[in-house]
Amino acid sequence: MSVPQLLRELHQLISQISDETTHSEPTLVNIGKAHERIQSEIKLSVSPYFRTKLRGLYSTAGEDTKRTLELVNHSLEKITEIKALRSSKRVGRTLTSAAFVAEQEAQQAVRKSAMRRGVLMSMLQQTAKELPLFEKTSAKQSQSLVGSNAAGNNYHAKPGDQVAALVETSDGEDQWILAGVATCSIGTSTYIVEDIDEEGKSVRDRHSVSKSYVIPLPKYKADPAIMPNALFPLKQKVMALYPQTTCFYPGLVDARPAHAGADYLISFEDNSYVEGYSPALEVPQRYVLAWKEPKRRHRH
């Protein structure tokens, strides 16, 4: 490989480092704000919900940092290779790169694994942004799964659909997670769902869940100017996907979308705050659902 080629690759790596820094900044800001609030209310205990949220944010920040560090190390290796190649040319020797290429390939596999969570978060945001806007074409047209409108009792999510599912976590607690439908048994009203977050797993976790605890996500966004009744009212209790995680938590609607492309503002339940709720955070329509109280005996 020539020096100009290596310099081009080095420039690309530096650009990626800059992009990663920009990408991780919101997560670090959220962590900082959370700790500032906890310190100001130091006498109050931190709720299990909030601990889970912080774990999710720290996990995301850790993966972001890991990717950035790997890019920095890879850049330093490029610089070392450039220096070695220039040195070998000066003394009339040829630098063999076979071992270096093999090492590069191994490091690339590690980087791909580390990037998965960041890519997943970006994909979830992009999917929500691209959710189509509902356009009524006839008086008889169904408006289920438009904005806050729930699916009918006879509706069955199809394999591949994303849903909110109540599952048992590794520590034995019930948790609403973002999941994909693998199979649906209409006869037994049971779904097999896969956890959408595969971080640290060779295969995604599968759960058997009663239809009662599988909530389909909206298929369309509601335009506030045309369908205000298809949006949750202010101060209504909902469950929403906490930013940078794949878990749904209870909260209150602090502000409704101002226009078709806007998000809700959700204040999540959290007893570490005096008022019992976190500062409002933006959540897309796709990830705001009617609250459903979990019950212990929901699994099959």
Side-chain angles (χ1 to χ4, degrees):
M1 189 175 293
S2 67
V3 170
Q5 284 179 295
L6 292 171
L7 287 171
R8 283 194 294 272
E9 291 183 5
L10 178 60
H11 181 268
Q12 291 174 352
L13 287 167
I14 293 172
S15 296
Q16 291 176 34
I17 292 170
S18 177
D19 291 342
E20 284 294 339
T21 303
T22 302
H23 171 76
S24 63
E25 186 174 351
T27 302
L28 298 177
V29 170
N30 285 336
I31 290 174
K33 288 181 178 178
H35 279 290
E36 287 175 6
R37 186 67 187 200
I38 290 173
Q39 289 172 359
S40 68
E41 305 294 341
I42 194 68
K43 293 182 180 179
L44 297 176
S45 61
V46 181
S47 69
Y49 280 134
F50 197 56
R51 285 198 297 269
T52 303
K53 294 172 195 172
L54 278 175
R55 281 199 296 268
L57 288 170
Y58 271 115
S59 176
T60 300
E63 292 298 329
D64 290 343
T65 302
K66 183 178 178 181
R67 288 195 301 273
T68 303
L69 182 59
E70 287 170 350
L71 288 170
V72 170
N73 289 335
H74 196 28
S75 299
L76 292 174
E77 290 167 355
K78 285 289 179 189
I79 292 172
T80 301
E81 188 182 8
I82 290 169
K83 288 181 177 179
L85 189 55
R86 282 178 169 172
S87 176
S88 68
K89 285 183 177 180
R90 283 197 298 269
V91 298
R93 290 185 287 107
T94 302
L95 178 68
T96 177
S97 60
F100 183 80
V101 169
E103 185 179 353
Q104 270 189 318
E105 290 175 348
Q107 290 175 351
Q108 186 178 18
V110 173
R111 285 197 298 276
K112 285 182 179 179
S113 175
M115 287 177 65
R116 286 175 185 167
R117 185 175 181 83
V119 170
L120 172 62
M121 295 300 132
S122 297
M123 286 176 59
L124 294 181
Q125 287 298 314
Q126 189 64 28
T127 300
K129 190 178 297 185
E130 294 175 353
L131 193 69
L133 187 65
F134 180 77
E135 295 182 5
K136 191 172 182 179
T137 56
S138 71
K140 295 183 178 180
Q141 186 178 2
S142 172
Q143 295 184 14
S144 66
L145 295 180
V146 177
S148 62
N149 294 338
N153 291 332
N154 295 326
Y155 180 86
H156 292 276
K158 300 176 180 62
D161 285 355
Q162 287 189 355
V163 298
L166 187 67
V167 304
E168 185 176 15
T169 63
S170 58
D171 54 7
E173 295 183 357
D174 283 339
Q175 175 68 64
W176 287 100
I177 66 166
L178 181 62
V181 174
T183 63
C184 171
S185 173
I186 297 177
T188 60
S189 295
T190 304
Y191 285 92
I192 301 297
V193 300
E194 293 182 338
D195 189 342
I196 205 76
D197 188 355
E198 59 183 4
E199 181 187 5
K201 308 165 190 172
S202 58
V203 295
R204 290 178 176 172
D205 291 337
R206 283 196 166 198
H207 306 269
S208 177
V209 187
S210 165
K211 181 177 182 289
S212 300
Y213 288 97
V214 172
I215 303 177
L217 302 188
K219 297 286 189 182
Y220 299 93
K221 286 187 284 193
D223 188 338
I226 300 173
M227 301 179 65
N229 292 335
L231 295 171
F232 291 108
L234 290 175
K235 303 306 177 185
Q236 178 164 327
K237 184 173 182 178
V238 295
M239 63 181 190
L241 196 70
Y242 194 87
Q244 298 300 313
T245 75
T246 56
C247 294
F248 291 84
Y249 297 98
L252 296 181
V253 176
D254 194 69
R256 287 152 50 105
H259 53 83
D263 297 336
Y264 282 96
L265 286 179
I266 304 296
S267 295
F268 289 90
E269 286 185 3
D270 197 323
N271 62 13
S272 65
Y273 295 90
V274 174
E275 58 274 24
Y277 293 91
S278 70
L281 298 172
E282 291 186 350
V283 184
Q285 283 193 43
R286 178 171 171 81
Y287 304 125
V288 180
L289 307 171
W291 169 248
K292 189 165 189 175
E293 193 71 35
K295 295 179 182 178
R296 293 300 305 176
R297 298 183 64 81
H298 67 276
R299 290 171 292 276
H300 291 260

